[in-house]
Amino acid sequence: MAEITITPRARAGGIRKVLERYPFLPALVIVMGLLLLNGVFSPNSLSYRSLTGLFSTYMALILLAIAQTYVVYAGDIDLSAGSILSLVNVAIVVLMERWGGGAGAVLLALALGLLLGLACGLLNGIVVAALRLQAIVATFATSIFFTGFALYILPVAGTPAPALFWRTYGGRLLGVPFVFYILAVLTVVLLVLSRTRLVTQLLAVGDDQQAAYQTGLPVVPIRIKGYLLCGLFSALAAFCITGDTASGDPLVGGKMTLYSVAAVVLGGSALSGGWGTVVGSALGALTIGLINSVVFFMGTPSEWQNFVQGFAILVVLMAGVLAGRRARA
């Protein structure tokens, strides 16, 4: 009987094929490793209650990372995503308060918040895709504009959200934490979006914009739609941060923009476009959250926590990028 020899090259080719099909696998492995580290330093961190708290706290970042992914697919970037989150956050809190905080007021404010997010995304899309300005500069400028608008609406942080809203977000429905219903709906929405032509078109534009144009794809409208999705998911992220903090803050999304970009890269997406996965971005957001938890549970002195967090994220980022390059090689 002839022996079948598996060469290192064939084995590497098999790993590459797996990574091509599931580019989020390195991020998943990192998340599992960080969960184990959390369990080592604080066994209670793996309890059902602690995991629920983890998702509640970082659901906003997960959604913002997903928002960023859709523009990155097309080779663009949105430095205003966190500012859109802040703007929607203060807008819905102020509207809920003025309209009495009842169920009808909450639902109407949320609907207007979605429209506001879409409007911000549309503005970014027009400025970047239609007017052909550099995405990194244009969205940096719109981030300042959105932040200024948020400060105009609510100059000082601290206006409380209605109890109905934050108690629902942090509460339970039929014994199951409400955040898990959000996660389930999000999974379905992402699955549906992944099967649409728009995602394929965004990836095609990001892979080679000139080739996409020559094949007849409407490049400008496709890129604008990517920014619309970014605005929509940024608004959804604002809902979650409002439920988690139970208040309005015009600067709450300041750091979250760069965290969302880091999460996208950690998840295996290429900032140059044409390659990526929203699942990986969500796992990248969890990675950032788990790194923060590990640093805290290790008992790191407060003056060193930012340094250690930054260093850990950098190391994990390098590992994720190297894995992604091997998959695309």
Side-chain angles (χ1 to χ4, degrees), residues 24-31 62 263 266-267 278-288 290:
F24 58 85
L25 281 181
L28 180 60
V29 171
I30 291 170
V31 166
I62 289 173
L266 284 169
V278 290
V279 175
S281 298
L283 291 171
L286 282 177
T287 297
I288 293 173
L290 289 169

Side-chain angles (χ1 to χ4, degrees), residues 45-138:
S45 66
L46 299 182
S47 67
Y48 181 69
R49 183 177 179 180
S50 296
L51 292 177
T52 300
L54 176 71
F55 279 106
S56 296
T57 301
Y58 289 99
M59 184 58 68
L61 183 58
I62 289 173
L63 286 164
L64 202 66
I66 291 169
Q68 194 73 244
T69 306
Y70 286 115
V71 292
V72 168
Y73 275 173
D76 292 316
I77 197 168
D78 190 353
L79 295 185
S80 71
S83 298
I84 296 174
L85 180 151
S86 298
L87 177 57
V88 174
N89 165 248
V90 299
I92 63 174
V93 167
V94 169
L95 289 175
M96 289 177 192
E97 181 192 33
R98 290 185 179 178
W99 292 340
V106 169
L107 292 175
L108 183 57
L110 294 181
L112 292 177
L114 289 177
L115 291 176
L116 181 57
L118 286 170
C120 293
L122 179 61
L123 177 61
N124 282 332
I126 291 173
V127 170
V128 173
L131 299 182
R132 300 184 181 182
L133 299 181
Q134 288 289 336
I136 193 169
V137 177

Side-chain angles (χ1 to χ4, degrees), residues 290-305:
L290 289 169
I291 287 174
N292 294 339
S293 297
V294 169
V295 171
F296 175 78
F297 291 137
M298 286 173 59
T300 307
S302 58
E303 63 270 20
W304 285 96
Q305 285 186 6

